[in-house]
Amino acid sequence: MSCAVDLDVDGGAVRGGRVAVGGVAPTPVRVPGAEAVLAGGGSFRDCAEAASLVAPAGDAADSARYRKHLVRTLVERACEEAMSR
C-alpha cells in the first residue's frame, strides 16, 4: 500500500490538499473525504481516518482491520512530512 499527500499551506496553516492512496484499487485513487477534512481545517489524524474508509476488505494475506490501520498510519505520516517541507 502507498499514499501521496500534497498540502496547500498559507501562512503556516493548511488550507486544503490532495490525498491519494495506492493498493486499495487496481489504480491509485484520490480520497475526496480526506481532502474535505483538510479543506475544512481538520487534523491530520481526522484526514487519515477519512482516508481509511477507502481501504478494501481483507484478503488471504491481510485483514481488513490491518489495511485500514495501514492507510491511517501512512496518510497521517505523509501529512506530517508534507507539512515539514
Side-chain angles (χ1 to χ4, degrees):
M1 300 191 76
S2 61
C3 76
V5 173
D6 179 38
L7 299 177
D8 298 329
V9 179
D10 183 26
V14 176
R15 304 291 183 207
R18 282 140 310 281
V19 178
V21 179
V24 298
T27 61
V29 295
R30 296 266 304 265
V31 188
E35 294 173 359
V37 170
L38 291 173
S43 70
F44 292 156
R45 183 173 301 249
D46 292 340
C47 172
E49 184 63 36
S52 75
L53 299 177
V54 302
D59 60 17
D62 300 311
S63 71
R65 183 175 167 187
Y66 173 74
R67 287 175 181 234
K68 289 177 79 75
H69 170 75
L70 186 56
V71 169
R72 273 194 304 268
T73 300
L74 289 173
V75 170
E76 187 170 4
R77 287 181 183 171
C79 286
E80 291 167 354
E81 184 175 331
M83 188 66 183
S84 71
R85 292 181 177 212

